Amino acid sequence: AGALMSLESTSARAERLARDIAVHGRHIPLETVMAEIEAIDEAAVEAALSRILEATPSVAAVGPMKDASALQQVRQSLVRAA
């Protein structure tokens, strides 16, 4: 719905075109985007979820860190038990 609504505003169309060119190097027709979205099935969602859950999580901190072992403990607690 959001993709279709973006066709109603000149600024939204310009923003979408600029984003397409910045990311893909060319304009991607809305029909192509909609077809790719419609092609997503349960197997694709499950495959993406598996990749996410099997990946080692990243942890970031802002500010001075005197003891990085605390971050390592958080990271390890996020890893699923095999």
PDB file of all heavy atoms in Angstrom, residues 7-48:
ATOM      1  N   LEU A   7       2.987   7.047  -5.211  1.00  0.00           N
ATOM      2  CA  LEU A   7       2.779   7.558  -6.563  1.00  0.00           C
ATOM      3  C   LEU A   7       1.959   8.843  -6.571  1.00  0.00           C
ATOM      4  O   LEU A   7       1.923   9.551  -7.568  1.00  0.00           O
ATOM      5  CB  LEU A   7       2.074   6.501  -7.424  1.00  0.00           C
ATOM      6  CG  LEU A   7       2.852   5.218  -7.657  1.00  0.00           C
ATOM      7  CD1 LEU A   7       1.985   4.217  -8.415  1.00  0.00           C
ATOM      8  CD2 LEU A   7       4.126   5.502  -8.419  1.00  0.00           C
ATOM      9  N   GLU A   8       1.311   9.161  -5.459  1.00  0.00           N
ATOM     10  CA  GLU A   8       0.425  10.311  -5.416  1.00  0.00           C
ATOM     11  C   GLU A   8       1.162  11.619  -5.162  1.00  0.00           C
ATOM     12  O   GLU A   8       0.625  12.677  -5.422  1.00  0.00           O
ATOM     13  CB  GLU A   8      -0.648  10.105  -4.342  1.00  0.00           C
ATOM     14  CG  GLU A   8      -1.564   8.940  -4.672  1.00  0.00           C
ATOM     15  CD  GLU A   8      -2.703   8.803  -3.686  1.00  0.00           C
ATOM     16  OE1 GLU A   8      -2.949   9.749  -2.923  1.00  0.00           O
ATOM     17  OE2 GLU A   8      -3.333   7.747  -3.693  1.00  0.00           O
ATOM     18  N   SER A   9       2.368  11.588  -4.679  1.00  0.00           N
ATOM     19  CA  SER A   9       3.120  12.788  -4.335  1.00  0.00           C
ATOM     20  C   SER A   9       4.327  12.931  -5.260  1.00  0.00           C
ATOM     21  O   SER A   9       5.105  11.986  -5.431  1.00  0.00           O
ATOM     22  CB  SER A   9       3.583  12.691  -2.881  1.00  0.00           C
ATOM     23  OG  SER A   9       4.613  13.598  -2.625  1.00  0.00           O
ATOM     24  N   THR A  10       4.499  14.109  -5.821  1.00  0.00           N
ATOM     25  CA  THR A  10       5.644  14.363  -6.692  1.00  0.00           C
ATOM     26  C   THR A  10       6.945  14.206  -5.918  1.00  0.00           C
ATOM     27  O   THR A  10       7.900  13.600  -6.412  1.00  0.00           O
ATOM     28  CB  THR A  10       5.561  15.787  -7.281  1.00  0.00           C
ATOM     29  OG1 THR A  10       4.326  15.915  -7.989  1.00  0.00           O
ATOM     30  CG2 THR A  10       6.699  16.060  -8.228  1.00  0.00           C
ATOM     31  N   SER A  11       6.993  14.715  -4.707  1.00  0.00           N
ATOM     32  CA  SER A  11       8.226  14.604  -3.919  1.00  0.00           C
ATOM     33  C   SER A  11       8.513  13.148  -3.558  1.00  0.00           C
ATOM     34  O   SER A  11       9.672  12.723  -3.556  1.00  0.00           O
ATOM     35  CB  SER A  11       8.151  15.472  -2.668  1.00  0.00           C
ATOM     36  OG  SER A  11       7.111  15.049  -1.821  1.00  0.00           O
ATOM     37  N   ALA A  12       7.484  12.352  -3.277  1.00  0.00           N
ATOM     38  CA  ALA A  12       7.685  10.939  -2.955  1.00  0.00           C
ATOM     39  C   ALA A  12       8.192  10.182  -4.182  1.00  0.00           C
ATOM     40  O   ALA A  12       9.054   9.304  -4.060  1.00  0.00           O
ATOM     41  CB  ALA A  12       6.400  10.316  -2.439  1.00  0.00           C
ATOM     42  N   ARG A  13       7.672  10.519  -5.353  1.00  0.00           N
ATOM     43  CA  ARG A  13       8.151   9.876  -6.588  1.00  0.00           C
ATOM     44  C   ARG A  13       9.612  10.224  -6.831  1.00  0.00           C
ATOM     45  O   ARG A  13      10.410   9.369  -7.206  1.00  0.00           O
ATOM     46  CB  ARG A  13       7.290  10.275  -7.773  1.00  0.00           C
ATOM     47  CG  ARG A  13       5.918   9.638  -7.754  1.00  0.00           C
ATOM     48  CD  ARG A  13       5.198   9.749  -9.097  1.00  0.00           C
ATOM     49  NE  ARG A  13       5.154  11.089  -9.644  1.00  0.00           N
ATOM     50  CZ  ARG A  13       4.170  11.968  -9.456  1.00  0.00           C
ATOM     51  NH1 ARG A  13       3.125  11.627  -8.720  1.00  0.00           N
ATOM     52  NH2 ARG A  13       4.198  13.153  -9.998  1.00  0.00           N
ATOM     53  N   ALA A  14       9.970  11.489  -6.619  1.00  0.00           N
ATOM     54  CA  ALA A  14      11.355  11.921  -6.814  1.00  0.00           C
ATOM     55  C   ALA A  14      12.277  11.228  -5.811  1.00  0.00           C
ATOM     56  O   ALA A  14      13.387  10.802  -6.158  1.00  0.00           O
ATOM     57  CB  ALA A  14      11.460  13.434  -6.684  1.00  0.00           C
ATOM     58  N   GLU A  15      11.825  11.108  -4.568  1.00  0.00           N
ATOM     59  CA  GLU A  15      12.623  10.441  -3.535  1.00  0.00           C
ATOM     60  C   GLU A  15      12.842   8.976  -3.893  1.00  0.00           C
ATOM     61  O   GLU A  15      13.950   8.451  -3.771  1.00  0.00           O
ATOM     62  CB  GLU A  15      11.914  10.547  -2.187  1.00  0.00           C
ATOM     63  CG  GLU A  15      12.666   9.885  -1.057  1.00  0.00           C
ATOM     64  CD  GLU A  15      11.907   9.967   0.258  1.00  0.00           C
ATOM     65  OE1 GLU A  15      11.119  10.909   0.466  1.00  0.00           O
ATOM     66  OE2 GLU A  15      12.101   9.063   1.086  1.00  0.00           O
ATOM     67  N   ARG A  16      11.793   8.309  -4.365  1.00  0.00           N
ATOM     68  CA  ARG A  16      11.903   6.901  -4.748  1.00  0.00           C
ATOM     69  C   ARG A  16      12.872   6.730  -5.914  1.00  0.00           C
ATOM     70  O   ARG A  16      13.707   5.823  -5.931  1.00  0.00           O
ATOM     71  CB  ARG A  16      10.527   6.355  -5.112  1.00  0.00           C
ATOM     72  CG  ARG A  16      10.540   4.881  -5.426  1.00  0.00           C
ATOM     73  CD  ARG A  16       9.119   4.347  -5.639  1.00  0.00           C
ATOM     74  NE  ARG A  16       9.199   2.967  -6.026  1.00  0.00           N
ATOM     75  CZ  ARG A  16       9.463   2.548  -7.263  1.00  0.00           C
ATOM     76  NH1 ARG A  16       9.652   3.412  -8.233  1.00  0.00           N
ATOM     77  NH2 ARG A  16       9.536   1.263  -7.540  1.00  0.00           N
ATOM     78  N   LEU A  17      12.784   7.609  -6.908  1.00  0.00           N
ATOM     79  CA  LEU A  17      13.681   7.552  -8.058  1.00  0.00           C
ATOM     80  C   LEU A  17      15.132   7.754  -7.613  1.00  0.00           C
ATOM     81  O   LEU A  17      16.025   7.011  -8.022  1.00  0.00           O
ATOM     82  CB  LEU A  17      13.278   8.608  -9.088  1.00  0.00           C
ATOM     83  CG  LEU A  17      14.160   8.717 -10.327  1.00  0.00           C
ATOM     84  CD1 LEU A  17      14.190   7.406 -11.084  1.00  0.00           C
ATOM     85  CD2 LEU A  17      13.655   9.844 -11.209  1.00  0.00           C
ATOM     86  N   ALA A  18      15.358   8.747  -6.762  1.00  0.00           N
ATOM     87  CA  ALA A  18      16.712   9.015  -6.270  1.00  0.00           C
ATOM     88  C   ALA A  18      17.253   7.820  -5.478  1.00  0.00           C
ATOM     89  O   ALA A  18      18.419   7.443  -5.626  1.00  0.00           O
ATOM     90  CB  ALA A  18      16.715  10.271  -5.407  1.00  0.00           C
ATOM     91  N   ARG A  19      16.411   7.223  -4.642  1.00  0.00           N
ATOM     92  CA  ARG A  19      16.831   6.059  -3.852  1.00  0.00           C
ATOM     93  C   ARG A  19      17.164   4.883  -4.774  1.00  0.00           C
ATOM     94  O   ARG A  19      18.172   4.202  -4.579  1.00  0.00           O
ATOM     95  CB  ARG A  19      15.740   5.678  -2.856  1.00  0.00           C
ATOM     96  CG  ARG A  19      16.132   4.546  -1.929  1.00  0.00           C
ATOM     97  CD  ARG A  19      15.098   4.257  -0.837  1.00  0.00           C
ATOM     98  NE  ARG A  19      13.742   4.161  -1.345  1.00  0.00           N
ATOM     99  CZ  ARG A  19      12.775   5.062  -1.082  1.00  0.00           C
ATOM    100  NH1 ARG A  19      13.019   6.108  -0.329  1.00  0.00           N
ATOM    101  NH2 ARG A  19      11.561   4.907  -1.571  1.00  0.00           N
ATOM    102  N   ASP A  20      16.335   4.652  -5.785  1.00  0.00           N
ATOM    103  CA  ASP A  20      16.609   3.574  -6.733  1.00  0.00           C
ATOM    104  C   ASP A  20      17.968   3.770  -7.398  1.00  0.00           C
ATOM    105  O   ASP A  20      18.764   2.833  -7.507  1.00  0.00           O
ATOM    106  CB  ASP A  20      15.531   3.520  -7.825  1.00  0.00           C
ATOM    107  CG  ASP A  20      14.261   2.833  -7.384  1.00  0.00           C
ATOM    108  OD1 ASP A  20      14.231   2.294  -6.269  1.00  0.00           O
ATOM    109  OD2 ASP A  20      13.292   2.844  -8.170  1.00  0.00           O
ATOM    110  N   ILE A  21      18.232   4.982  -7.841  1.00  0.00           N
ATOM    111  CA  ILE A  21      19.492   5.258  -8.532  1.00  0.00           C
ATOM    112  C   ILE A  21      20.669   5.136  -7.578  1.00  0.00           C
ATOM    113  O   ILE A  21      21.709   4.580  -7.930  1.00  0.00           O
ATOM    114  CB  ILE A  21      19.435   6.645  -9.206  1.00  0.00           C
ATOM    115  CG1 ILE A  21      18.418   6.598 -10.356  1.00  0.00           C
ATOM    116  CG2 ILE A  21      20.810   7.061  -9.709  1.00  0.00           C
ATOM    117  CD1 ILE A  21      18.093   7.928 -10.965  1.00  0.00           C
ATOM    118  N   ALA A  22      20.519   5.617  -6.349  1.00  0.00           N
ATOM    119  CA  ALA A  22      21.605   5.529  -5.374  1.00  0.00           C
ATOM    120  C   ALA A  22      21.905   4.087  -4.984  1.00  0.00           C
ATOM    121  O   ALA A  22      23.065   3.700  -4.834  1.00  0.00           O
ATOM    122  CB  ALA A  22      21.255   6.346  -4.132  1.00  0.00           C
ATOM    123  N   VAL A  23      20.869   3.276  -4.823  1.00  0.00           N
ATOM    124  CA  VAL A  23      21.051   1.898  -4.356  1.00  0.00           C
ATOM    125  C   VAL A  23      21.339   0.928  -5.502  1.00  0.00           C
ATOM    126  O   VAL A  23      22.227   0.080  -5.404  1.00  0.00           O
ATOM    127  CB  VAL A  23      19.807   1.431  -3.564  1.00  0.00           C
ATOM    128  CG1 VAL A  23      19.891  -0.044  -3.214  1.00  0.00           C
ATOM    129  CG2 VAL A  23      19.643   2.270  -2.305  1.00  0.00           C
ATOM    130  N   HIS A  24      20.585   1.046  -6.588  1.00  0.00           N
ATOM    131  CA  HIS A  24      20.668   0.071  -7.678  1.00  0.00           C
ATOM    132  C   HIS A  24      21.382   0.584  -8.917  1.00  0.00           C
ATOM    133  O   HIS A  24      21.649  -0.187  -9.839  1.00  0.00           O
ATOM    134  CB  HIS A  24      19.262  -0.391  -8.085  1.00  0.00           C
ATOM    135  CG  HIS A  24      18.466  -0.952  -6.948  1.00  0.00           C
ATOM    136  ND1 HIS A  24      18.720  -2.183  -6.400  1.00  0.00           N
ATOM    137  CD2 HIS A  24      17.425  -0.447  -6.246  1.00  0.00           C
ATOM    138  CE1 HIS A  24      17.870  -2.417  -5.413  1.00  0.00           C
ATOM    139  NE2 HIS A  24      17.070  -1.373  -5.294  1.00  0.00           N
ATOM    140  N   GLY A  25      21.623   1.893  -8.984  1.00  0.00           N
ATOM    141  CA  GLY A  25      22.258   2.461 -10.164  1.00  0.00           C
ATOM    142  C   GLY A  25      21.298   2.671 -11.318  1.00  0.00           C
ATOM    143  O   GLY A  25      21.694   3.077 -12.403  1.00  0.00           O
ATOM    144  N   ARG A  26      20.038   2.391 -11.080  1.00  0.00           N
ATOM    145  CA  ARG A  26      19.003   2.576 -12.116  1.00  0.00           C
ATOM    146  C   ARG A  26      17.639   2.602 -11.448  1.00  0.00           C
ATOM    147  O   ARG A  26      17.487   2.208 -10.283  1.00  0.00           O
ATOM    148  CB  ARG A  26      19.048   1.445 -13.141  1.00  0.00           C
ATOM    149  CG  ARG A  26      18.691   0.086 -12.556  1.00  0.00           C
ATOM    150  CD  ARG A  26      18.839  -1.035 -13.575  1.00  0.00           C
ATOM    151  NE  ARG A  26      18.530  -2.319 -12.989  1.00  0.00           N
ATOM    152  CZ  ARG A  26      17.304  -2.851 -12.926  1.00  0.00           C
ATOM    153  NH1 ARG A  26      16.273  -2.217 -13.438  1.00  0.00           N
ATOM    154  NH2 ARG A  26      17.106  -4.029 -12.378  1.00  0.00           N
ATOM    155  N   HIS A  27      16.647   3.061 -12.182  1.00  0.00           N
ATOM    156  CA  HIS A  27      15.278   3.080 -11.674  1.00  0.00           C
ATOM    157  C   HIS A  27      14.698   1.665 -11.739  1.00  0.00           C
ATOM    158  O   HIS A  27      14.855   0.967 -12.731  1.00  0.00           O
ATOM    159  CB  HIS A  27      14.414   4.032 -12.506  1.00  0.00           C
ATOM    160  CG  HIS A  27      12.957   3.942 -12.192  1.00  0.00           C
ATOM    161  ND1 HIS A  27      12.455   4.249 -10.952  1.00  0.00           N
ATOM    162  CD2 HIS A  27      11.907   3.556 -12.945  1.00  0.00           C
ATOM    163  CE1 HIS A  27      11.139   4.065 -10.967  1.00  0.00           C
ATOM    164  NE2 HIS A  27      10.794   3.645 -12.164  1.00  0.00           N
ATOM    165  N   ILE A  28      14.058   1.235 -10.670  1.00  0.00           N
ATOM    166  CA  ILE A  28      13.371  -0.064 -10.633  1.00  0.00           C
ATOM    167  C   ILE A  28      11.879   0.222 -10.761  1.00  0.00           C
ATOM    168  O   ILE A  28      11.305   0.879  -9.889  1.00  0.00           O
ATOM    169  CB  ILE A  28      13.643  -0.815  -9.312  1.00  0.00           C
ATOM    170  CG1 ILE A  28      15.143  -0.950  -9.038  1.00  0.00           C
ATOM    171  CG2 ILE A  28      12.964  -2.182  -9.319  1.00  0.00           C
ATOM    172  CD1 ILE A  28      15.906  -1.761 -10.043  1.00  0.00           C
ATOM    173  N   PRO A  29      11.248  -0.255 -11.826  1.00  0.00           N
ATOM    174  CA  PRO A  29       9.810   0.003 -11.990  1.00  0.00           C
ATOM    175  C   PRO A  29       8.997  -0.556 -10.825  1.00  0.00           C
ATOM    176  O   PRO A  29       9.320  -1.619 -10.283  1.00  0.00           O
ATOM    177  CB  PRO A  29       9.453  -0.727 -13.291  1.00  0.00           C
ATOM    178  CG  PRO A  29      10.752  -0.908 -14.005  1.00  0.00           C
ATOM    179  CD  PRO A  29      11.797  -1.024 -12.931  1.00  0.00           C
ATOM    180  N   LEU A  30       7.970   0.165 -10.440  1.00  0.00           N
ATOM    181  CA  LEU A  30       7.127  -0.259  -9.327  1.00  0.00           C
ATOM    182  C   LEU A  30       6.526  -1.639  -9.583  1.00  0.00           C
ATOM    183  O   LEU A  30       6.382  -2.438  -8.661  1.00  0.00           O
ATOM    184  CB  LEU A  30       6.014   0.767  -9.076  1.00  0.00           C
ATOM    185  CG  LEU A  30       5.143   0.514  -7.859  1.00  0.00           C
ATOM    186  CD1 LEU A  30       5.988   0.480  -6.586  1.00  0.00           C
ATOM    187  CD2 LEU A  30       4.068   1.571  -7.745  1.00  0.00           C
ATOM    188  N   GLU A  31       6.223  -1.943 -10.828  1.00  0.00           N
ATOM    189  CA  GLU A  31       5.663  -3.250 -11.166  1.00  0.00           C
ATOM    190  C   GLU A  31       6.647  -4.365 -10.801  1.00  0.00           C
ATOM    191  O   GLU A  31       6.251  -5.432 -10.342  1.00  0.00           O
ATOM    192  CB  GLU A  31       5.323  -3.330 -12.662  1.00  0.00           C
ATOM    193  CG  GLU A  31       4.219  -2.405 -13.103  1.00  0.00           C
ATOM    194  CD  GLU A  31       4.678  -0.950 -13.283  1.00  0.00           C
ATOM    195  OE1 GLU A  31       5.905  -0.692 -13.385  1.00  0.00           O
ATOM    196  OE2 GLU A  31       3.799  -0.072 -13.295  1.00  0.00           O
ATOM    197  N   THR A  32       7.936  -4.113 -11.006  1.00  0.00           N
ATOM    198  CA  THR A  32       8.961  -5.099 -10.670  1.00  0.00           C
ATOM    199  C   THR A  32       9.023  -5.302  -9.160  1.00  0.00           C
ATOM    200  O   THR A  32       9.085  -6.439  -8.675  1.00  0.00           O
ATOM    201  CB  THR A  32      10.335  -4.637 -11.194  1.00  0.00           C
ATOM    202  OG1 THR A  32      10.263  -4.473 -12.607  1.00  0.00           O
ATOM    203  CG2 THR A  32      11.427  -5.644 -10.851  1.00  0.00           C
ATOM    204  N   VAL A  33       8.997  -4.198  -8.420  1.00  0.00           N
ATOM    205  CA  VAL A  33       9.029  -4.277  -6.958  1.00  0.00           C
ATOM    206  C   VAL A  33       7.806  -5.041  -6.448  1.00  0.00           C
ATOM    207  O   VAL A  33       7.930  -5.932  -5.599  1.00  0.00           O
ATOM    208  CB  VAL A  33       9.088  -2.870  -6.332  1.00  0.00           C
ATOM    209  CG1 VAL A  33       8.979  -2.935  -4.821  1.00  0.00           C
ATOM    210  CG2 VAL A  33      10.362  -2.149  -6.750  1.00  0.00           C
ATOM    211  N   MET A  34       6.645  -4.706  -6.959  1.00  0.00           N
ATOM    212  CA  MET A  34       5.420  -5.367  -6.513  1.00  0.00           C
ATOM    213  C   MET A  34       5.443  -6.859  -6.859  1.00  0.00           C
ATOM    214  O   MET A  34       5.017  -7.696  -6.056  1.00  0.00           O
ATOM    215  CB  MET A  34       4.188  -4.697  -7.127  1.00  0.00           C
ATOM    216  CG  MET A  34       4.019  -3.231  -6.720  1.00  0.00           C
ATOM    217  SD  MET A  34       3.953  -2.965  -4.941  1.00  0.00           S
ATOM    218  CE  MET A  34       2.420  -3.753  -4.540  1.00  0.00           C
ATOM    219  N   ALA A  35       5.967  -7.221  -8.021  1.00  0.00           N
ATOM    220  CA  ALA A  35       6.052  -8.635  -8.413  1.00  0.00           C
ATOM    221  C   ALA A  35       6.991  -9.396  -7.484  1.00  0.00           C
ATOM    222  O   ALA A  35       6.705 -10.540  -7.098  1.00  0.00           O
ATOM    223  CB  ALA A  35       6.531  -8.750  -9.855  1.00  0.00           C
ATOM    224  N   GLU A  36       8.114  -8.759  -7.100  1.00  0.00           N
ATOM    225  CA  GLU A  36       9.042  -9.407  -6.181  1.00  0.00           C
ATOM    226  C   GLU A  36       8.404  -9.606  -4.806  1.00  0.00           C
ATOM    227  O   GLU A  36       8.620 -10.628  -4.154  1.00  0.00           O
ATOM    228  CB  GLU A  36      10.334  -8.597  -6.067  1.00  0.00           C
ATOM    229  CG  GLU A  36      11.183  -8.660  -7.329  1.00  0.00           C
ATOM    230  CD  GLU A  36      12.406  -7.768  -7.253  1.00  0.00           C
ATOM    231  OE1 GLU A  36      12.564  -7.007  -6.263  1.00  0.00           O
ATOM    232  OE2 GLU A  36      13.205  -7.827  -8.200  1.00  0.00           O
ATOM    233  N   ILE A  37       7.639  -8.635  -4.354  1.00  0.00           N
ATOM    234  CA  ILE A  37       6.948  -8.757  -3.067  1.00  0.00           C
ATOM    235  C   ILE A  37       5.915  -9.876  -3.127  1.00  0.00           C
ATOM    236  O   ILE A  37       5.824 -10.707  -2.225  1.00  0.00           O
ATOM    237  CB  ILE A  37       6.295  -7.418  -2.664  1.00  0.00           C
ATOM    238  CG1 ILE A  37       7.382  -6.397  -2.320  1.00  0.00           C
ATOM    239  CG2 ILE A  37       5.337  -7.611  -1.490  1.00  0.00           C
ATOM    240  CD1 ILE A  37       6.873  -4.986  -2.135  1.00  0.00           C
ATOM    241  N   GLU A  38       5.143  -9.909  -4.202  1.00  0.00           N
ATOM    242  CA  GLU A  38       4.107 -10.937  -4.357  1.00  0.00           C
ATOM    243  C   GLU A  38       4.702 -12.337  -4.461  1.00  0.00           C
ATOM    244  O   GLU A  38       4.041 -13.315  -4.120  1.00  0.00           O
ATOM    245  CB  GLU A  38       3.245 -10.641  -5.584  1.00  0.00           C
ATOM    246  CG  GLU A  38       2.380  -9.398  -5.447  1.00  0.00           C
ATOM    247  CD  GLU A  38       1.327  -9.539  -4.357  1.00  0.00           C
ATOM    248  OE1 GLU A  38       0.818 -10.648  -4.141  1.00  0.00           O
ATOM    249  OE2 GLU A  38       1.033  -8.517  -3.712  1.00  0.00           O
ATOM    250  N   ALA A  39       5.965 -12.438  -4.925  1.00  0.00           N
ATOM    251  CA  ALA A  39       6.594 -13.749  -5.107  1.00  0.00           C
ATOM    252  C   ALA A  39       7.099 -14.342  -3.788  1.00  0.00           C
ATOM    253  O   ALA A  39       7.468 -15.513  -3.738  1.00  0.00           O
ATOM    254  CB  ALA A  39       7.746 -13.637  -6.101  1.00  0.00           C
ATOM    255  N   ILE A  40       7.106 -13.566  -2.722  1.00  0.00           N
ATOM    256  CA  ILE A  40       7.575 -14.073  -1.428  1.00  0.00           C
ATOM    257  C   ILE A  40       6.568 -15.092  -0.899  1.00  0.00           C
ATOM    258  O   ILE A  40       5.385 -14.819  -0.804  1.00  0.00           O
ATOM    259  CB  ILE A  40       7.757 -12.921  -0.412  1.00  0.00           C
ATOM    260  CG1 ILE A  40       8.844 -11.973  -0.902  1.00  0.00           C
ATOM    261  CG2 ILE A  40       8.093 -13.478   0.972  1.00  0.00           C
ATOM    262  CD1 ILE A  40       8.951 -10.709  -0.099  1.00  0.00           C
ATOM    263  N   ASP A  41       7.079 -16.284  -0.587  1.00  0.00           N
ATOM    264  CA  ASP A  41       6.205 -17.326  -0.056  1.00  0.00           C
ATOM    265  C   ASP A  41       6.692 -17.774   1.323  1.00  0.00           C
ATOM    266  O   ASP A  41       7.674 -17.254   1.850  1.00  0.00           O
ATOM    267  CB  ASP A  41       6.128 -18.515  -1.023  1.00  0.00           C
ATOM    268  CG  ASP A  41       7.478 -19.158  -1.283  1.00  0.00           C
ATOM    269  OD1 ASP A  41       8.474 -18.757  -0.648  1.00  0.00           O
ATOM    270  OD2 ASP A  41       7.536 -20.068  -2.129  1.00  0.00           O
ATOM    271  N   GLU A  42       6.002 -18.729   1.885  1.00  0.00           N
ATOM    272  CA  GLU A  42       6.332 -19.209   3.230  1.00  0.00           C
ATOM    273  C   GLU A  42       7.754 -19.752   3.296  1.00  0.00           C
ATOM    274  O   GLU A  42       8.482 -19.508   4.273  1.00  0.00           O
ATOM    275  CB  GLU A  42       5.334 -20.289   3.653  1.00  0.00           C
ATOM    276  CG  GLU A  42       5.524 -20.760   5.073  1.00  0.00           C
ATOM    277  CD  GLU A  42       4.469 -21.770   5.499  1.00  0.00           C
ATOM    278  OE1 GLU A  42       3.426 -21.887   4.837  1.00  0.00           O
ATOM    279  OE2 GLU A  42       4.714 -22.447   6.516  1.00  0.00           O
ATOM    280  N   ALA A  43       8.194 -20.444   2.265  1.00  0.00           N
ATOM    281  CA  ALA A  43       9.542 -21.017   2.255  1.00  0.00           C
ATOM    282  C   ALA A  43      10.597 -19.912   2.280  1.00  0.00           C
ATOM    283  O   ALA A  43      11.620 -20.048   2.964  1.00  0.00           O
ATOM    284  CB  ALA A  43       9.729 -21.898   1.031  1.00  0.00           C
ATOM    285  N   ALA A  44      10.357 -18.815   1.572  1.00  0.00           N
ATOM    286  CA  ALA A  44      11.314 -17.699   1.558  1.00  0.00           C
ATOM    287  C   ALA A  44      11.400 -17.042   2.935  1.00  0.00           C
ATOM    288  O   ALA A  44      12.487 -16.684   3.397  1.00  0.00           O
ATOM    289  CB  ALA A  44      10.915 -16.676   0.501  1.00  0.00           C
ATOM    290  N   VAL A  45      10.264 -16.899   3.583  1.00  0.00           N
ATOM    291  CA  VAL A  45      10.247 -16.308   4.927  1.00  0.00           C
ATOM    292  C   VAL A  45      10.972 -17.221   5.910  1.00  0.00           C
ATOM    293  O   VAL A  45      11.784 -16.765   6.722  1.00  0.00           O
ATOM    294  CB  VAL A  45       8.803 -16.028   5.391  1.00  0.00           C
ATOM    295  CG1 VAL A  45       8.774 -15.585   6.840  1.00  0.00           C
ATOM    296  CG2 VAL A  45       8.143 -14.991   4.491  1.00  0.00           C
ATOM    297  N   GLU A  46      10.720 -18.514   5.830  1.00  0.00           N
ATOM    298  CA  GLU A  46      11.384 -19.464   6.720  1.00  0.00           C
ATOM    299  C   GLU A  46      12.891 -19.483   6.484  1.00  0.00           C
ATOM    300  O   GLU A  46      13.672 -19.562   7.436  1.00  0.00           O
ATOM    301  CB  GLU A  46      10.794 -20.855   6.540  1.00  0.00           C
ATOM    302  CG  GLU A  46       9.403 -20.992   7.125  1.00  0.00           C
ATOM    303  CD  GLU A  46       8.766 -22.348   6.881  1.00  0.00           C
ATOM    304  OE1 GLU A  46       9.372 -23.183   6.168  1.00  0.00           O
ATOM    305  OE2 GLU A  46       7.673 -22.583   7.401  1.00  0.00           O
ATOM    306  N   ALA A  47      13.321 -19.398   5.224  1.00  0.00           N
ATOM    307  CA  ALA A  47      14.755 -19.382   4.919  1.00  0.00           C
ATOM    308  C   ALA A  47      15.418 -18.132   5.493  1.00  0.00           C
ATOM    309  O   ALA A  47      16.511 -18.204   6.069  1.00  0.00           O
ATOM    310  CB  ALA A  47      14.970 -19.459   3.411  1.00  0.00           C
ATOM    311  N   ALA A  48      14.760 -16.985   5.351  1.00  0.00           N
ATOM    312  CA  ALA A  48      15.307 -15.741   5.900  1.00  0.00           C
ATOM    313  C   ALA A  48      15.383 -15.814   7.422  1.00  0.00           C
ATOM    314  O   ALA A  48      16.382 -15.405   8.022  1.00  0.00           O
ATOM    315  CB  ALA A  48      14.457 -14.554   5.456  1.00  0.00           C
TER     316      ALA A  48
END
